[in-house]
Amino acid sequence: MRPYYEMYSQEEIEMIYDAALEILADVGLEMTHPRALEMLEGAGARVDRKSNRVYFPTELTEKCLAMAPEEFTCSGRTEEFDYTAGMYADARIRTASGAIDRFDLYRNTTARLTCADIAEQALVADALPNVGCVGSLTPSDSPRQTYDIYSLRSLLENTRKNIWVLTSSSKNLFYQLKMLEAVCGSKETMRLGRNQGAGIFCVISPLTITDDEIERAMLYADYGLPVKVPITTLMGGNAPYTMAGILAQATAEFMGCTVILQTIKPGIPVWYYGLFQSLDMATGGVQYTSAELQATFAAVAQLARRCKIPPTTTCTTSSGCEAQQTIFNLAQGTMFNTLLGVAEQGGSGLDGNNAYSPHALILQDEIMSYTKRILRSCEISPETLAVNAIAEVATGKKEYVSAPHTLKHLRSEERLRSKVFSYVSAQRWFENPTTLMQKTDDYLTQIKSGHEVPPLDDHVLKEIDDIVKAADKELT
Amino acid sequence: MIEAQILEKAKKLLVEQDKEGVEAIARQIIASGHDPLELMDKALIPGITEVGDHFGRGVMFLPELMQAADAMKSATDIVNDALTNTDNGKKQGKKGKILIATVKGDVHDIGKCIVVSLMRANGFEVFDLGRDVDTDTIIEKAVEHDVDIIGTSALLTTTMSQQKILEEALKSAGLRDRFATMVGGAPCTPRWAARIGADAYAEDAQDGIRRVKEIINGK
């Protein structure tokens, strides 16, 4: 198991955990979906139909938390592209999700996203070793009512990685799941775990679940997709101003969502996704990343482990797409989240995920490789301690470059070499100054011209196309 | 003439966001037979201006601004009631009237609430219709209150189209020239505002105040 850092004491985590249980039991969630209310009542929740509130007894909540698997496979198009979601799994990136703009960090340009940009993200994600999941984006060149369906088509055609199937409604989700079915072969195959997708189940803070969210959850569950539960809450806005307060409310919301999902389908895999933001009381603006938010993500990691459920967080930027600050946010967020033991983390989304950046994605992948290399530490053994080699060199040639010990370990002792960082001396660099962004852009060009994703079979492409047409006909 | 000391106290209570204190002193001043407009011009308006200045400089924060705006609204209501009951009969003129709503299908309103507070703190009369408000209701209420500006907020790409629908509905009703329109919300951009024919785009609450002032002063 790779090492991870825990900032909070067990007692502190238990206080938050207990507060969350208390909120669910005494404050409950606001819900009106008739079928969900029936199911929850049958499971042991107390339903007050007058006030539209559902109260979750602690026993029910803890029983449902225990039903969710601690570890599970998130499938790609083939097993080679699967990744494991779990409390101690290898760290992976989930690309920007929901963005509406594409920002070019090298050229400092921005434009509304198109389906071609979504295809670009899918392709780049397919090529990068640390990307596990590719998020859906929001194209501007598709019908407004079916943009999420067009987004999924671009992703399915251009990546073999797992896809986060964001949706605008249960009506749209029906068509999206049909598209996945076309690629995966059958609904049964999807239910058995080969579904190349993950779903989303959202709460509106504070403590409110809409009817359509339940409809979507039922569809995801029917097709066997694991579900991320993002708690997108605004510290000081629709969540308490105190950091402990947002953790209590968010954890209650996550637990409540888990009870609902496990009641709909026992054993459905879920993530506790901390996607907190902070209301900047000095300006009224929203901060998507800050030291305080990072500290709350540290608690999310520990709380998820307490619940025995995989955590996921993010490190989007508040910078409004300014390159240097973006790099800082990506570096601190990616490294720190990985150190916290968060196995799946978002990022590469700029301006609070309103913008997608291929450069940020490549950089985040590099930063994650760097971080994972640090955490792999080194092999400590009599051979690698090199005592004999030290004795020889210290009393002999006094250089290790040509020593047999060096030659013996030259290829086996790991040294990470970045694809985009510079390794030349300052003098050499000044002769031909090349920025990190420029090198990243060169690498992006290389991926786009050289990386290939095997096309889907013609009959699958046709089936997807027919589904999109049917969706347009019904929904536009 | 109201004593300078009392005016200073009223202003201080407002800056300190003491709503009950402001209400009490306003009632006391009016009950003593003093001119409500003098209270407004020499205490309340300078007080709320000072609050706005403090916020702009980062000395006061958003919740404090909203508390002060709430106290100001309460005091203004007391002043207006007093003016209605006097021979003067002339209500405290507001700088302008704005109707604001989160569009149909959208339930996000924290940003809008911040905008409302800031606008009230700047002396504008604001009609807040809340969230998930359909176009017909927006237009109906804009006419009813005879506002100067209609502001709409949308946080989702799926709901921002309602802002375009509002523009089209105003044109169809022959009301487009009667109201200025302003759009805001995370997915909105100046380009979006231009594309749909809105008069202004507000990037955030403070930008919104600037745009509102530009529109009102330009009238």
Side-chain angles (χ1 to χ4, degrees):
Chain A
M1 183 173 25
R2 64 183 171 87
Y4 54 87
Y5 173 55
E6 293 199 321
M7 264 169 57
Y8 298 88
S9 69
Q10 203 49 46
E11 192 190 345
E12 286 169 329
I13 294 301
E14 285 302 314
M15 284 179 75
I16 300 169
Y17 181 87
D18 288 344
L21 289 173
E22 186 183 334
I23 291 165
L24 274 184
D26 298 345
V27 182
L29 297 180
E30 183 180 319
M31 290 176 63
T32 52
H33 192 282
R35 179 80 189 106
L37 294 180
E38 253 179 61
M39 290 170 76
L40 287 166
E41 204 162 34
R46 180 167 66 86
V47 176
D48 183 340
R49 285 173 175 79
K50 272 191 191 158
S51 61
N52 292 327
R53 295 205 85 81
V54 180
Y55 302 91
F56 299 77
T58 294
E59 312 77 61
L60 173 63
T61 303
E62 292 197 302
K63 179 180 158 196
C64 290
L65 287 173
M67 281 181 193
E70 294 179 30
E71 195 173 277
F72 50 91
T73 300
C74 300
S75 58
R77 196 193 281 183
T78 60
E79 283 183 21
E80 183 191 346
F81 298 94
D82 292 352
Y83 73 99
T84 302
M87 294 183 291
Y88 310 106
D90 188 32
R92 288 275 181 265
I93 293 167
R94 179 186 60 252
T95 67
S97 313
I100 56 178
D101 290 325
R102 178 188 185 278
F103 193 75
D104 187 316
L105 281 174
Y106 178 52
R107 295 168 186 80
N108 279 329
T109 59
T110 182
R112 282 280 138 136
L113 268 168
T114 62
C115 289
D117 297 324
I118 297 174
E120 174 196 66
Q121 173 175 256
L123 181 74
V124 173
D126 194 85
L128 296 174
N130 293 304
V131 173
C133 177
V134 189
S136 303
L137 300 174
T138 309
S140 59
D141 57 346
S142 64
R144 178 175 51 84
Q145 301 89 337
T146 51
Y147 75 87
D148 45 358
I149 294 167
Y150 279 75
S151 175
L152 181 58
R153 176 164 69 177
S154 295
L155 293 172
L156 284 168
E157 289 175 357
N158 293 282
T159 191
R160 292 164 288 185
K161 301 273 175 95
N162 180 272
I163 295 169
W164 194 18
V165 183
L166 301 189
T167 189
S168 59
S169 76
S170 52
K171 282 187 180 166
N172 291 44
L173 181 57
F174 170 79
Y175 289 99
Q176 289 170 297
L177 291 167
K178 283 287 175 201
M179 289 161 74
L180 277 170
E181 191 179 336
V183 172
C184 298
S186 69
K187 192 174 183 178
E188 195 48 42
T189 304
M190 291 177 69
R191 283 175 169 164
L192 290 172
R194 304 288 339 151
N195 46 51
Q196 204 183 348
I200 178 171
F201 187 77
C202 293
V203 57
I204 295 182
S205 299
L207 303 162
T208 305
I209 307 281
T210 64
D211 284 3
D212 199 62
E213 210 63 48
I214 302 289
E215 292 294 321
R216 299 178 210 185
M218 289 179 170
L219 280 168
Y220 285 127
D222 190 35
Y223 278 81
L225 267 65
V227 175
K228 299 188 211 290
V229 182
I231 309 298
T232 314
T233 192
L234 188 63
M235 197 155 58
N238 54 10
Y241 182 63
T242 57
M243 291 156 65
I246 191 175
L247 285 164
Q249 181 180 285
T251 304
E253 288 172 332
F254 161 70
M255 287 176 170
C257 291
T258 301
V259 174
I260 294 167
L261 286 163
Q262 299 304 321
T263 304
I264 290 171
K265 182 171 177 183
I268 187 170
V270 299
W271 286 260
Y272 180 179
Y273 181 0
L275 185 53
F276 312 156
Q277 296 143 26
S278 181
L279 185 58
D280 183 348
M281 296 303 190
T283 64
V286 177
Q287 291 178 327
Y288 298 103
T289 188
S290 70
E292 291 75 26
L293 287 171
Q294 187 65 76
T296 61
F297 295 157
V300 166
Q302 286 183 249
L303 285 158
R305 270 196 287 276
R306 172 67 178 87
C307 298
K308 296 200 170 138
I309 283 173
T312 172
T313 60
T314 191
C315 57
T316 55
T317 70
S318 295
S319 61
C321 308
E322 190 273 304
Q324 280 86 359
Q325 188 170 338
T326 294
I327 294 166
F328 172 80
N329 286 146
L330 280 177
Q332 76 81 23
T334 305
M335 289 191 93
F336 202 69
N337 287 332
T338 307
L339 284 168
L340 292 171
V342 177
E344 180 181 315
Q345 50 182 295
S348 76
L350 309 187
D351 194 27
N353 251 344
N354 284 318
Y356 143 72
S357 160
H359 300 87
L361 177 55
I362 289 169
L363 284 168
Q364 190 181 21
D365 188 76
E366 284 297 295
I367 293 164
M368 184 166 276
S369 290
Y370 200 96
T371 310
K372 285 159 77 168
R373 173 63 193 95
I374 294 171
L375 292 174
R376 282 196 293 277
S377 62
C378 65
E379 182 200 337
I380 312 284
S381 69
E383 172 59 30
T384 60
L385 284 165
V387 172
N388 290 341
I390 294 166
E392 254 181 62
V393 171
T395 57
K397 284 169 73 174
K398 296 198 189 300
E399 59 87 0
Y400 288 90
V401 179
S402 60
H405 186 270
T406 302
L407 288 162
K408 183 178 178 187
H409 293 279
L410 189 62
R411 301 286 177 191
S412 59
E413 179 94 343
E414 189 185 356
R415 293 288 188 270
L416 178 73
R417 202 150 183 93
S418 165
K419 294 181 279 295
V420 296
F421 296 165
S422 182
Y423 293 95
V424 300
S425 67
Q427 188 174 350
R428 286 265 310 273
W429 186 85
F430 278 112
E431 287 164 9
N432 179 26
T434 311
T435 64
L436 175 60
M437 279 305 160
Q438 200 172 331
K439 294 189 83 172
T440 305
D441 193 63
D442 290 343
Y443 187 56
L444 173 63
T445 305
Q446 200 182 313
I447 292 176
K448 286 168 76 169
S449 59
H451 185 74
E452 281 179 13
V453 173
L456 294 167
D457 292 341
D458 286 344
H459 75 272
V460 173
L461 289 170
K462 174 153 186 340
E463 198 173 340
I464 290 175
D465 204 46
D466 289 343
I467 293 167
V468 173
K469 286 180 179 144
D472 279 339
K473 192 173 173 193
E474 192 207 330
L475 301 169
T476 59
Chain B
M1 290 277 290
I2 306 171
E3 270 181 48
Q5 230 177 343
I6 295 177
L7 287 171
E8 191 53 38
K9 187 178 175 188
K11 180 185 160 197
K12 187 166 178 279
L13 286 168
L14 181 61
V15 173
E16 288 172 355
Q17 317 119 53
D18 184 347
K19 182 177 171 181
E20 280 175 16
V22 171
E23 285 170 347
I25 203 167
R27 289 197 180 98
Q28 180 198 324
I29 288 170
I30 289 162
S32 304
H34 292 300
D35 182 7
L37 282 177
E38 190 185 356
L39 166 66
M40 185 61 77
D41 291 340
K42 291 187 180 171
L44 299 180
I45 290 177
I48 204 68
T49 304
E50 188 173 318
V51 166
D53 179 56
H54 283 330
F55 179 72
R57 289 188 295 113
V59 172
M60 278 177 84
F61 294 139
L62 197 58
E64 294 157 335
L65 178 78
M66 290 169 79
Q67 295 279 93
D70 192 34
M72 178 70 180
K73 181 177 184 307
S74 200
T76 306
D77 289 343
I78 292 171
V79 165
N80 280 335
D81 282 345
L83 289 171
T84 307
N85 294 333
T86 64
D87 293 339
N88 193 331
K90 183 188 165 197
K91 284 197 175 182
Q92 168 60 34
K94 286 285 182 179
K95 287 183 187 175
K97 291 201 270 187
I98 298 120
L99 179 139
I100 190 163
T102 297
V103 298
K104 181 81 186 151
D106 204 320
V107 296
H108 299 91
D109 69 349
I110 292 171
K112 176 187 68 61
C113 291
I114 294 168
V115 168
V116 167
S117 285
L118 226 61
M119 286 191 180
R120 285 180 175 150
N122 277 268
F124 295 103
E125 189 172 3
V126 184
F127 301 93
D128 181 2
L129 299 188
R131 50 192 190 168
D132 192 19
V133 185
D134 62 77
T135 301
D136 288 343
T137 304
I138 290 173
I139 295 177
E140 180 194 321
K141 293 295 176 186
V143 169
E144 182 186 323
H145 296 296
D146 192 26
V147 302
D148 299 293
I149 300 168
I150 299 173
T152 53
S153 171
L155 203 82
L156 305 172
T157 49
T158 45
T159 57
M160 64 194 286
S161 56
Q162 291 293 320
Q163 294 171 325
K164 185 177 177 193
I165 290 169
L166 173 66
E167 294 290 331
E168 288 160 0
L170 285 168
K171 279 184 201 136
S172 303
L175 293 168
R176 185 58 188 89
D177 290 336
R178 183 168 165 184
F179 307 107
T181 55
M182 189 161 73
V183 296
C188 297
T189 60
R191 223 170 74 185
W192 166 250
R195 211 168 96 202
I196 66 171
D199 294 299
Y201 156 75
E203 190 184 344
D204 55 33
Q206 286 176 291
D207 191 37
I209 298 300
R210 277 192 290 274
R211 301 284 167 236
V212 161
K213 285 178 179 172
E214 280 167 10
I215 292 170
I216 299 286
N217 291 337
K219 279 198 159 204

